[in-house]
């Protein structure tokens, strides 16, 4: 849809240092945790001690999320963000210095104290990690930027686990010293790069920090529930952590008991899932067309369920033989199906979670975003703990096998997805509109990023060619827009549900239904007063001959009402090109004139459509004639 790529962000200072810092942090955390496991083997501790660590470590790491997320969210809101990142990465140097001492002395108590410190540092970094993105990225870059962050995080975790696991295998007697040096050097590298991040203003520098943990935790959790879509996006992210925790917790035993492999096969399984997450995450920008496309969320949810279900059927029982190497496993019948399932789960997980992060960032007020992220982190921690406990209960209390856990997870994921999409129909509506637009058309955008404002009220005016115009424009504009449409189009069966869910505004002519017309003007006025985008088709009806009909005076009435309130609304002229003759326009071939000719499916399916946007016109000078001329110029001869 556009010549832009999210990977261009990796060449820009506003994003690259931040991306490197968050990736290095994830990498170092996992090097540290895997190195502790390596140290336990190096020290030849008993199985009981290993089991004690296995149970203590996750609890110690996640405890700070419950204790300090509320404070972290307030601090992230109050401080300049680059400064806070430097502070947290400086903390990481101090914490990893303590951890290094633990490796050198081979002291588990010191290492566990440092592990609590890494959890604390992650708690403080979490709110700024995601709240900084809307400040450094444009709305059309949010999906791509979040995709890069999720890809970087998933790959950093995987590579960190591999690197940390190899330290004691390759370094031998020098393992404790190599581990100590590695984590300190990585922390220093992160702090050095953090100083290259440009300064980013605080969300709310006047905020007074409430140090009462319980009271403020409740308050910030309530912030996550102010808007229905944000509340359920937060729920979706927490569910992502639940699914990921249940799945990845089973992989070590699954690789051995059900796949018949060794530790290397567990790494392969984790790698397939992690690479899938990375690929899915960075694919979101292309699939969404650089808008915050929450229509990908249902696709991701049901895709995850489908691959989890197939993973159960691919290997429902234990392996018949054990001790397989990676290559031996790959050569076995049915192995490629399992590998595809693990990759597919990760791929659709990326489709699921990246738009949710982008939605939370785009629809939350800047002065509340860090606290909303902190509230989400508290809820995430609850879901992670619940996932661990449920996973243990299903296997040890109920005696379920790991494939049966996967089956239960597939069913639960489907039910949770249906629940979310039922109470927030916008997700499913966006999926249906996304599917329609991407199936029928190939879009190319011109000028939208430059001319459609990133925030604040604006009136968009466009020529009206087909019944799909509103869906095409909504798929092209980075921000949500309220569409004013002829009430007979609004009331088309099936499409009516989509339009109503998208908060479209039906309008009728003064002679047809004066009450509907007046209600439409009132709704437009209220939307502009709230700083929303409103899109109208000033021709008043679909074109009958491909030409642009004269613009009606309703656009001037909208601007006059806004001016009467003291609001000057910019007007952005837009044009759809190459839509005339598509299957949803009114063009009828003079010779045939039938329905099939009108639809022209063989010729116009997947038609190349261009969406043009021009320089905004000041609402104080905009007239119907001027705007019509601008739209005509944008459309040109390409009807």
């Amino acid at each position: 849809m556009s010549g832009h790529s999210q990977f261009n962000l990796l060449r820009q200072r506003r994003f690259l240092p931040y991306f490197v810092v968050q990736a290095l942090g994830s990498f170092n955390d996992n090097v540290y945790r895997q190195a502790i496991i390596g140290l336990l083997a190096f020290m030849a501790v008993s199985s009981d001690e290993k089991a004690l660590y296995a149970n203590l470590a996750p609890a110690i790491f996640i405890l700070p999320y419950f204790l300090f997320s509320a404070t972290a969210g307030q601090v992230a809101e109050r401080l300049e963000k680059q400064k806070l990142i430097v502070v947290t990465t400086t903390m990481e140097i101090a914490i990893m210095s303590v951890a290094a001492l633990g490796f050198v002395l081979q002291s588990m108590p010191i290492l566990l104290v440092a592990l609590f410190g890494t959890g604390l540092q992650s708690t403080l970094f979490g709110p700024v990690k995601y709240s900084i993105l809307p400040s450094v990225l444009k709305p059309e870059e949010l999906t791509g930027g979040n995709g890069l962050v999720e890809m970087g995080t998933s790959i950093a975790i995987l590579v960190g686990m591999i690197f940390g696991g190899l330290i004691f295998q390759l370094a031998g007697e020098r393992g404790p010293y190599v581990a100590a040096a590695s984590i300190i050097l990585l922390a220093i590298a992160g702090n050095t790069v953090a100083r290259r991040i440009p300064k980013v203003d605080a969300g709310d520098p006047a905020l007074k920090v409430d140090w009462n943990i319980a009271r403020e935790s409740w308050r910030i959790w309530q912030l996550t529930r102010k808007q229905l879509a944000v509340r359920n996006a937060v729920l979706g992210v927490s569910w992502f952590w639940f699914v990921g925790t249940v799945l990845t917790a089973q992989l070590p035993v699954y690789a051995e008991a059900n796949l018949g492999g060794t530790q290397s096969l567990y790494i392969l399984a984790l790698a397939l899932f992690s690479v899938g997450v990375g690929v899915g995450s960075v694919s979101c920008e292309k699939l969404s067309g650089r808008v915050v496309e929450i229509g990908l969320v249902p696709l991701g949810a049901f895709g995850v369920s489908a691959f989890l279900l197939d993973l159960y059927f691919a290997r429902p029982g234990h392996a018949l033989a054990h001790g397989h190497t990676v290559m031996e496993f790959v050569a076995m019948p049915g192995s490629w199906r399992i590998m595809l399932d693990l990759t597919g789960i990760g791929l659709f997980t990326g489709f699921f979670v990246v738009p949710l992060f982008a939605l939370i960032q785009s629809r939350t007020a800047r002065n509340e975003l860090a606290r909303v992220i902190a509230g989400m982190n508290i809820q995430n921690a609850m879901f992670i703990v619940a996932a661990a406990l449920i996973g243990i209960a299903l296997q040890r209390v109920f005696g379920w096998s790991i494939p049966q856990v996967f089956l239960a997870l597939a069913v639960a994921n489907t039910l949770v997805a249906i629940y979310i999409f039922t109470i927030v129909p916008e997700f499913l509506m966006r999926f249906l509109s996304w599917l329609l637009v991407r199936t029928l058309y190939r879009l190319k955008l011109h000028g939208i990023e430059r001319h459609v404002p990133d925030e604040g009220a604006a009136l968009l005016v466009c020529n009206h060619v087909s019944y799909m115009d509103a869906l095409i424009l909504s798929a092209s504009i980075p921000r949500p827009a309220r569409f004013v449409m002829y009430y007979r189009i609004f009331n088309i069966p099936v499409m009516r549900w989509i339009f109503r869910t998208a908060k479209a505004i039906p309008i009728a002519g003064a002679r047809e239904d004066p009450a509907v017309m007046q209600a439409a003007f009132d709704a437009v006025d209220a939307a502009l007063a709230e700083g929303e985008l409103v899109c109208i088709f000033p021709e008043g009806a679909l074109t009958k001959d491909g030409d642009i009909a004269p613009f009606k005076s309703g656009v001037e009435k909208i601007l006059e009402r806004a001016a009467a309130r003291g609001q000057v609304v910019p007007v952005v002229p837009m044009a759809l090109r190459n839509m005339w003759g598509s299957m949803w326009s009114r063009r009828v071939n003079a010779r045939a004139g039938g329905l099939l000719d009108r639809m022209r499916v063989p010729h116009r399916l997947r038609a190349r459509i261009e969406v043009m946007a021009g320089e905004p016109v000041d609402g104080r000078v905009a007239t119907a004639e001027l705007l019509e001329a601008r739209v005509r110029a944008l459309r040109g001869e390409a009807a």
Side-chain angles (χ1 to χ4, degrees):
M1 288 176 59
S2 174
H4 296 275
S5 168
Q6 67 221 69
F7 294 101
N8 292 334
L9 293 172
L10 296 177
R11 296 197 292 266
Q12 300 178 33
R13 188 184 167 194
R14 63 190 170 109
F15 183 80
L16 177 59
Y18 154 80
F19 174 81
V20 173
V21 167
Q22 64 85 26
L24 280 174
S26 298
F27 179 76
N28 201 13
D29 282 348
N30 285 276
V31 168
Y32 175 49
R33 282 183 274 183
Q34 289 300 308
I36 293 178
I37 296 174
L39 178 65
L40 291 172
F42 177 80
M43 296 167 59
V45 301
S46 66
S47 298
D48 289 341
E49 289 185 76
K50 289 182 181 178
L52 178 63
Y53 168 76
N55 288 298
L56 275 179
I60 289 173
F61 181 80
I62 207 167
L63 181 60
Y65 282 92
F66 291 105
L67 296 179
F68 303 114
S69 284
T71 303
Q74 295 174 90
V75 171
E77 209 83 84
R78 195 172 189 275
L79 293 183
E80 188 270 314
K81 290 180 171 54
Q82 186 266 353
K83 180 180 179 180
L84 181 57
I85 293 175
V86 171
V87 169
T88 57
T89 52
T90 303
M91 284 179 57
E92 185 179 4
I93 295 174
I95 293 165
M96 289 307 173
S97 298
V98 174
L101 180 63
F103 278 120
V104 172
L105 298 178
Q106 299 181 26
S107 170
M108 285 304 299
I110 294 177
L111 289 169
L112 291 177
V113 168
L115 184 63
F116 180 86
T118 61
L120 173 60
Q121 189 263 344
S122 296
T123 301
L124 294 174
F125 182 69
V128 73
K129 175 180 179 178
Y130 289 106
S131 65
I132 194 175
L133 286 176
S135 299
V136 300
L137 300 179
K138 301 173 184 176
E140 64 271 15
E141 295 172 330
L142 272 180
T143 297
N146 278 284
L148 288 172
V149 170
E150 291 307 307
M151 177 204 69
T153 300
S154 63
I155 299 303
I157 290 172
L158 172 65
V159 178
M161 292 179 66
I162 295 173
F163 180 81
L166 290 175
I167 286 177
F168 283 88
Q169 294 183 32
L170 300 179
E173 294 296 324
R174 295 175 297 172
Y177 300 96
V178 173
S182 297
I183 58 177
I184 290 177
L185 289 174
L186 286 168
I188 293 172
N191 182 258
T192 302
V193 178
R195 298 176 187 277
R196 295 288 299 165
I197 297 174
K199 294 188 181 301
V200 179
D201 292 338
D204 187 358
L207 179 70
K208 293 183 178 179
V209 177
D210 184 350
W211 299 100
N212 186 308
I213 293 173
R215 181 172 58 215
E216 189 59 27
S217 294
W218 175 255
R219 284 178 180 171
I220 66 171
W221 187 71
Q222 288 295 311
L223 280 179
T224 68
R225 305 174 66 80
K226 283 180 63 175
Q227 298 183 55
L228 186 60
V230 171
R231 184 191 76 182
N232 288 283
V234 169
L235 176 61
V237 172
S238 297
W239 180 250
F240 155 77
W241 280 104
F242 182 95
V243 172
T245 299
V246 173
L247 177 67
T248 55
Q250 313 310 315
L251 288 183
V253 179
Y254 179 73
E256 179 181 350
N258 297 89
L259 304 185
T262 59
Q263 177 72 10
S264 60
L265 194 54
Y266 157 60
I267 296 299
L268 173 65
L270 184 64
L272 292 171
F273 174 73
S274 300
V275 170
V277 172
V279 173
S281 297
V282 296
S283 299
C284 287
E285 183 186 63
K286 181 68 174 178
L287 291 171
S288 67
R290 306 193 82 215
V291 300
V292 178
E293 184 50 84
I294 59 175
L296 293 178
V297 177
L299 176 68
F302 295 121
V304 168
S305 292
F307 279 103
L308 276 170
L309 184 64
D310 192 68
L311 187 61
Y312 165 76
F313 287 108
R315 187 65 61 85
H318 284 78
L320 299 178
H322 296 273
H324 297 303
T325 65
V326 169
M327 295 308 298
E328 289 171 344
F329 169 75
V330 170
M332 293 172 61
S335 61
W336 282 97
R337 179 181 177 183
I338 295 171
M339 294 166 63
L340 178 63
D341 286 336
L342 290 169
T343 306
I345 293 168
L347 181 76
F348 282 89
T349 294
F351 294 164
F352 178 79
V353 75
V354 167
L356 292 178
F357 276 123
L359 182 145
I360 293 167
Q361 293 159 352
S362 65
R363 299 201 188 178
T364 303
R366 294 285 178 88
N367 63 344
E368 295 179 350
L369 181 55
R371 284 173 288 167
V372 167
I373 298 297
M376 180 181 70
N377 286 343
I378 294 174
Q379 184 170 291
N380 291 347
M382 293 178 180
F383 274 62
I384 291 170
V385 171
L389 295 176
I390 291 172
I392 292 171
L394 290 178
Q395 294 178 73
R396 299 194 177 184
V397 178
F398 296 98
W400 289 14
S401 67
I402 292 178
Q404 287 175 324
V405 173
F406 292 158
L407 176 61
L409 191 60
V411 173
N413 187 64
T414 302
L415 294 176
V416 169
I418 291 173
Y419 168 72
I420 293 176
F421 306 145
T422 300
I423 59 178
V424 188
E426 183 183 2
F427 285 95
L428 189 56
M429 178 276 296
R430 290 294 306 186
F431 171 66
L432 293 175
S433 63
W434 173 83
L435 190 62
L436 276 172
V437 171
R438 295 306 184 281
T439 300
L440 298 176
Y441 305 106
R442 285 172 287 180
L443 304 185
K444 188 174 182 180
L445 313 183
H446 302 275
I448 290 177
E449 296 173 10
R450 295 194 307 274
H451 301 313
V452 176
D454 293 342
E455 56 187 20
L459 186 65
L460 314 179
V461 296
C462 188
N463 59 320
H464 203 7
V465 190
S466 80
Y467 295 106
M468 292 290 290
D469 291 353
L471 297 183
I472 289 172
L473 290 172
S474 68
S476 307
I477 300 167
R479 296 172 54 193
R482 302 282 301 276
F483 287 88
V484 180
M485 58 177 56
Y486 186 48
Y487 76 108
R488 294 190 185 276
I489 297 178
F490 181 91
N491 289 322
I492 293 175
V494 180
M495 302 296 287
R496 171 185 172 86
W497 178 79
I498 294 178
F499 295 141
R500 186 173 62 246
T501 305
K503 298 182 180 179
I505 302 170
I507 192 169
R511 295 181 179 178
E512 290 181 286
D513 196 325
V516 171
M517 185 184 73
Q518 184 59 43
F521 279 107
D522 291 343
V524 170
D525 200 41
L528 292 174
E530 291 294 321
E532 297 183 82
L533 292 180
V534 175
C535 182
I536 65 171
F537 302 100
E539 296 167 88
L542 296 181
T543 178
K544 297 179 180 179
D545 56 10
D547 196 10
I548 296 177
F551 280 15
K552 296 184 177 180
S553 60
V555 61
E556 296 175 355
K557 182 177 179 180
I558 291 172
L559 297 172
E560 288 170 2
R561 289 178 59 137
R565 291 185 287 99
Q567 183 182 24
V568 178
V569 177
V571 186
V572 181
M574 300 185 69
L576 292 167
R577 305 180 65 178
N578 301 321
M579 277 295 294
W580 178 241
S582 69
M583 60 186 296
W584 294 97
S585 68
R586 285 183 169 177
R587 180 175 180 176
V588 180
N589 185 283
R591 290 179 298 172
L595 176 63
L596 292 178
D597 184 74
R598 180 162 65 250
M599 294 179 70
R600 301 183 68 196
V601 173
H603 180 62
R604 299 295 285 170
L605 188 66
R606 295 290 293 156
R608 295 181 181 274
I609 306 302
E610 295 181 80
V611 183
M612 318 291 292
E615 189 80 28
V617 178
D618 190 311
R620 291 168 294 193
V621 300
T623 63
E625 291 77 13
L626 172 62
L627 295 171
E628 179 188 335
R630 294 287 182 92
V631 173
R632 285 182 179 276
L634 285 171
R635 194 205 64 172
E637 299 299 320

